[in-house]
Amino acid sequence: MTIGRKEAGYRPIHERVTDFSEVEQTLNLEDRKLQASRCMDCGVPFCHWACPLGNKNPEWQDLMYKGKWREAMEKLQQTSNFPEFTGRVCPALCEKSCVLAQTGEAVTCRENEAALIEYAFNQGMIVPRPPKTRSGKKVAVIGSGPSGLATADLLNKMGHSVTVYEKDNAIGGLLRFGIPDFKLNKKVIDRRLDVLRAEGIEFVTSTHIGTDITGKELLKKFDAICLTMGSGEPRDLPIEGRDLKGVYFALQLLQQQNHINAGEEVSADDRISAKGKKVLVIGGGDTGSDCVGTATRQGAASVTQIEIMPKPPIGFNPATPWPNYPMILKTSSSHEEGCDRYWNLASKRFIGKDGVLTGVEVAEVEWSKDPQTGKMGMKETGKTHVIEADMVLLAMGFVHPVHTGLLDELQVNYDQRGNVAIDGNQMSSVDKVFAAGDTASGASLVVRAIASGRKAAAAINKYLSENNL
Amino acid sequence: MKSTYPKQQGLYNPENEHDACGVGIVAQLHGGKSHDIVEKGLQVLEHMNHRGAEGIDSKTGDGAGILVQIPHEFILLQGIAVPEKGKYGTGLIFLPKNNAEAEECLAIIKKEIASEALSLIAVRDVPVDNSILGKGSLATEPQIKQLFITGCDSQDELERKLYIVRKKSEIAVMNSSMEHKSDFYINSLSTKTIVYKGMLTSPQLREYYKDLTNPNFTSAISLVHSRFSTNTFPTWNLAQPFRLLGHNGEINTIKGNRIWMTARESVLKSDKLGNLKDLFPIVQPDMSDSASLDNVFEFLMMAGLSLPHALSMLVPESWNEKNPISEDLKAFYEYHSMFMEPWDGPADLMFTDGRYAGGMLDRNGLRPARYLITNDDLLVMASETGVLKFKASDIREKGRLRPGKMFLIDTEKGEIHYDAEIKDSLAKAYPYREWLNKNRIDLATVSSGRTAEISLPNYKAMVTEFGYTKEDIDFLITSMALEGKEPVNSMGNDTPLAVISDKPQRLFAYFRQLFAQVTNPPIDPIREELVMSMTNYVGSIHTNLLEPAPEICKMVKIKNPILTNIQFDLLLNLNYKGFSTTVLPMLFDPQYGAEGLEKAVDELCKSAEKAVDAGKNYIVLSDRGVDAQHAAIPSLLAVSAVHHYLVEKRKRMQTAIVVETAEPREVMHFALLFGYGANIVNPYMAFAVLQEEIKKGNISLDYESAQNHYIKSVTKGIMKIMSKMGIATIRSYRGAQIFEAVGIGSYVLDKYFKGTNSKIGGIDMSDIYRDIADAHKKAFAPDAEDSWTVVNAGNYAFRKDGELHAWNPETISKLQLATRSGDYAKFKEFTKAVDEKAHPMWLRDFMDYKRNPIDISEVEPASEIVKHFVAGAMSFGAISAEAHEAIAMAMNKLGTKSNTGEGGEDSERYKPREDGLSTRSAIKQVASGRFGVTTEYLVNADEIQIKVAQGAKPGEGGQLPGFKVDKVIAKTRHSIPGISLISPPPHHDIYSIEDLKQLIYDLRNVNPKAAISVKLVSETGVGTIAAGVAKAKADLILISGAEGGTGASPVSSVKHAGLPGELGLAEAQQTLVMNNLRGLVRLQADGQLKTGRDIIISALLGAEEFGFGTSVLIVLGCVMMRKCHKNTCPMGVATQDPELRKRFLGRHEYLMNFFNFLAEDVREHLAQLGCRTLNEAVGRADLIVPKTFDCNPKISKIDISKLIYMPEEAKTNPLHCVKKGINVVENVIDNQLIAKTKSSIESGAKSELEFPIENTDRTVGAMLSGEIVRKYGEAGLPDDTIKVTFKGSAGQSFGAFLTHGVTFRLEGDTNDYVGKGLSGGKIAVVPAEGTTYAPEKNIIAGNTILYGATSGEVYISGRVGERFCVRNSGAIAVVEGVGDHCCEYMTGGRAVILGSTGRNFAAGMSGGIAYVLNMQGNFDYFCNMEMVELSLLEDSSDVHELQNLIYNHYTYTGSPIAKRILTNWNDYLDKFIKVVPIEYKKVLHDERIAAINKKIAEVERDY
């Protein structure tokens, strides 16, 4: 308790907004070890409990503190396939439930994680370790996001032959095309993919299963299939003016920028750029924040973000006390870079001129608790105004995976929310077909996707060994 | 009618009966027989009535008896034509009431008499008056007849023949089919002595047996005994004395001793007794430990050993290097130790064979025995002094028995034999030393050039096969290697029992350690190490143990039973010294399943037998050689199976079991291996782990040091486990099976662990096999090497994929959120998470209750229910002031009670605060350290709790390191800042149940308004102990679950000692109900209680009060860091660090929410049950219905039927406490004292009084002091306001808790516990007027004087017993000679010893100063130098202080030696040694420097 929490912090705003390089900095090794030493090896490690992967923070942080980097890395990788991803983009549920978080000084688990895995890569500790024997079983993984990669990684290590299919032209799913480079440099993904390839996973890109290859063919070819294609259907805002030019889904912007950063050419017609524009982001979540950062970097004249929900409390929310994940105001690095934020605003209509967006009419709303049901209800106050905008980015989340195509062809059952329904073993209603990640549970965090992928891999392995196919 | 204990039923098991008592002997030195000796014997008995006990019906005693010489003249006068003295034998026999069966018994005896060619000349109906008997004893009264047998001229031969007749008759009746055969009992059958005894109170003995009051009934010796049995079950034949002895004490190793006696049968031969087979078993079954000891003692004497020889062999004194006895005598003991393990435990033995009479104490001296000899050669020896009145001038000598020492008179020759002389002649009888030197090989001295490999080629596979976890390696083994001791942990064990857990378990995990509480004390393996021994002998081929012979000692001596690989290799290769061995693999082929395992074990047993037959000196069971085809048999299973098999075959004495195994890693594992019969263990895998960790850099030590540390840790740990049960030597611990199985089925237990019970059934061979097979499969899977990892099983800290923990993030956060927000709905979420968990954790999870719902409005209000809840004992010191006070405020506001814990309490807290809240703890705890237990503390209690044991570490003491003792803590604990505070393992005033009764009496005198509670820990037999505690007149008994929390405890205690609370609670309830004692006491339960459901189940099992510890802390912010012992609690709960304490987030309101919610939750359950009040539910185990789970194959084998058993007596006897108010003390001297000093108490006027006093006047002065302190607080009255002179022999606890302003002078002598808890008063003890002997040569006061004294002065003109000034923290004492362990654990005050001291002076002394007059110049030998420094008196202030103290001593007592010293001051001064604790010296030094600095600062200012 004699050592305080020390965050590495971000590069200076004036510098970072000019590029798409990662904004977060690093501590020197000695400071990093000291930060790791802050972990108290709790009798009940809430961090470990809160982590969907069950990372054993007390164990690897202790090893790290002792300078046993390799053992620390191995300990971490036992529960986490890709610490280099989560170490960058995870909202760190662990830190929120750290015992020290009660007094606002949680251990810097996420940064420690990132530092550990980076050290390991730099020191050449991460080398391909292909399985010694092959089971002869073949598994197809559809979709190469975090969940698919985790499933593929584990199944491959268990000796099964894994092929990962990706409809886009590069592997990574939302990791690659959803998350901006300034949060996750894509070299980090490539670096991991090199390892996975060397370990024997086959990656097939630009292949849309359901279109390029049918589900039936796949089922013939493989002993099991895992659906990890994400939750591709974005939530739309079907209000007046939706078809005006200038209204985009968040991912349209983010994906394109990532393709451009990857060196791809985009025709001027297709280019979605915020340069010089007044940008309005609808939706106050992480994707919205990513839009803010991206728009800023594209040179937006102004960036505004609105949210229908009320403004969360700052610092502490009694409704979500420790060790719960705190519903408090999050100010991301992108917000710091300049953005107006408003809450309690519902979008009523898009206003345009000549088919081009000029603004959005928003209505002020109020939230109150229904005394009967205890649920929060929303009511418009009647006050409306117009926010000027010539670009709107819809970042209101995703509804469920795309049904048309593969899923409908396979005739999997859906749950109430339209996700692929699975049983306790992650299997869908169709034999041999498993699902994990957002496809099964709806859009969520990278760390949950990985956890779900791991669970699916274990279930598939069990399925393959029990059903001597 | 049944004259033995009730049969085993529910959780009651007659095996657990304990007794302790008063014992005494009166004898005429020259053998002059008279009725007066008998009469005096009876009087002695009657004067120790308070040491015995009676049941609920005060006329049913626990037993009393007398052993006398055969009253020849009296017999003749009865008209029985016996021949001359010595030519006939006689004795009383108990026969079944049923005449036919009585006849059958008599016929059997007659037959045996005839077959020894003797004749029965008469059978006499013994006249008795059974009108005086209580209901219990009357119902079980046997027919009593006296037999007269003749037929042999030689008295010795006749004596032996009578023995044979008795033994054979006993065996024949035992083997008969009579219904009431257990009523048959032969009290004695001898030509020399006769025993009269029965289930009587002491005063009843003379009334019941008319013979005893007949003036013609004469004897020169009478040995009497009064019994305090923990239970009041009909037990006529367990009354004492037995044939040779009366025993006040307890044999802790009895299970092992009995097993070893069986094993020994094949190596006993005696020409004198003929075919011994007819006499086996030597130990009569189903009798008490004392009876068994008597059986063996008698056997050895019949076989020709002398009385002292037999006793010294059975109950040897300690003879390691710390004991000042001759080398020859050590050789005598060593020789005998090779074939007879000590019968270990507290013992005050008094014995007579009709000619010799005497007494001896066990090695620890844990029972008192005092004697005196009069000028006309009468010897009186008894548990207490003052049992017979004599004029001071008639007494020639007074003394006491000392630990391990014997005292004997020969009534034929009229000689007194003292210990030194007796032992000297024993030692010199044979050239033992020479025999040993020539034959015995000390492994430590064998040298060879051999080396041994440490590392294992298949290390990874072995880690997996033997289930070494990350915690095993990092937490246990590594810290043992680094620290040289077992790691410490905090908070309780919240993981499920092995049988409930889904995780793989070692067989070890199914056992729990038993420990001593109340009826026998744990011993102190650290501070009283001089009694401990780990030495072993292996290798002998015994042929006959009864004939002394040099060959017997051809054995290998091994100082520590844990062998390194090199030592083990040496042992294996001692062929050249004539020792051969064979290695038997403890392996089996896993492909053959559980049957294969069982077969392998059975074959192993047979191979072991063959090895013995082949003359192998020791056999090695080894699990080396595990590979893909060979899995290891659990080492414990193999050891116990082989051990029991060889015992069964009577071949166990001829060999030793050496175990070479990868399995044991923690202390408990080793303890189990030894406890079930292993002689020697080589833990090669643990060593391999050490080497591996050194290689990895996790242990920065060289291998040798790491190994030494590891072995030292294990050894220390085993000593601790042994001493918890009061056992001092590994030889008597071996095979003593001091464990309870929890969750092993009867098939496995009966076959391989005979004598061990599991009350809940449990696993069978298939379950054992499954865990082995799973691990084996993993260990030898093709890809095992690649995917290898050391699993973290999460046993100590929560892990998601690890063992379940009851306190996990979900339960902790839910409880905190609910109580902080005051939201009952949230609380119900918490109770749901606890009550409806998918996987059971506790035994109570297997219980549901029958529903018979009523409307909740009919149930008593929550405000009533809340009164059944109390906060657990947590000391201020363990937890922060903020936390401690928050608990007190909450409980006081709720109208219930919080508990001080053992750290005392700041008197500021007795006053209400300005805001109206009170931080006073209503329950004041009295623990073994007696920290802060002052008169003021006690009078400020509503309830006083005697903590006999603590769930997390039963049988152990504690330590608060000096750095944690800040000024505030030091003040409340009456100690000095910076000085370590150590609590001893036992209460030094509770070595037995009658001692506890005395302590209860003491406390009740100080504060007659407070209820007295006794805290016990759940274990097998706790019900019996609870019954004893109820009979000792406690108001409340707390049965603590072993899962309870702690601020610091060795991990093996947290995990492996004690039983789940449910078992103890149910056993206590059942036993109390059977005894009809339940209505007299309240019963409290604790141990991981969390919700209303937990409370209801506990209530149905028998509790009416409920204690909460961990949950209380969690409500106040604890997040189960388990770092309490490190003072680093980040929540400010369990820390004294001022910075960390600022982080405390708790509020007393949260706690009030918690308890109100709990009460509400209880109400809901009560409504479901159909009970209107909580009391209605208490003890209604019949309302419990078993609940089943299907989580793993083991769970379905758990059977809770014994827990929910309702004894027959439940129909008539109360099930909960029906007594109103608390017990009261009546008729004590203090009533008169208070009446006569009214003006002093009220106005401070001076009073001077004089009183006669007797040993039955106990705890004199305490009640008076309580009255004064209630009025004036700790300050009491001005000096010497009340002066009282007593004349006579005072009882125990003379001047206990005497407060300031009261001065007692005693002319005469007194017993144990003088000045206990002295709080400012003054006591002077001087010999009675007319005393002829020099006071400094004679014993005047007993043991354990000034225990827990905090201030005051004591001057004793004479010698005293053991443990003078134990845990004194401020009183001043002058005395003229002391026994062993003087100044033990002293933390303050002064002790001046003007005479010789016993052994182990100043053990654990961390404060205060002692001055010892070292006339012999050998004091340093007797002093334990671990914590103190010796010096001459050089400082003038010391000289001054000493001179003043001696001057005071002279003033108060007129002591001749004080006078001598003062008048020759310069001659004596340099004979004094000053004893100062090193820590204390530093504190004094710092104080002095601080004073100087202050002065300098002041001087500088003047400039």
Side-chain angles (χ1 to χ4, degrees), chain B residues 1325-1385:
Chain B
V1325 186
V1326 300
E1329 237 180 276
T1331 300
T1332 54
Y1333 49 85
E1336 72 266 25
K1337 292 217 167 91
N1338 280 279
I1339 181 110
I1340 192 166
N1343 297 328
T1344 318
I1345 291 168
L1346 288 175
Y1347 184 23
T1350 49
S1351 59
E1353 297 165 39
V1354 170
Y1355 303 96
I1356 299 175
S1357 180
R1359 296 186 60 88
V1360 299
E1362 327 312 328
R1363 298 187 177 83
F1364 184 71
C1365 280
V1366 55
R1367 273 294 306 116
N1368 174 20
S1369 52
I1372 291 166
V1374 186
V1375 65
E1376 297 172 6
V1378 294
D1380 293 348
H1381 317 297
C1382 182
C1383 297
E1384 196 171 20
Y1385 293 106

Side-chain angles (χ1 to χ4, degrees), chain B residues 64 101 151 191 216 227 353 397 578 646 649 762 933 971 1044 1093 1202 1237 1399 1491 1502:
Chain B
E101 291 197 350
T191 62
N216 297 311
R227 180 160 184 257
D353 61 355
E397 179 185 337
L646 292 179
K649 299 281 173 194
V933 179
K971 191 184 159 212
R1093 201 191 97 89
K1202 282 184 181 163
T1237 58
R1399 302 167 298 174
D1502 285 346

Side-chain angles (χ1 to χ4, degrees), chain B residues 949-960:
Chain B
Q950 182 179 339
K953 47 174 172 182
E956 288 181 61
Q959 180 160 354
L960 194 63

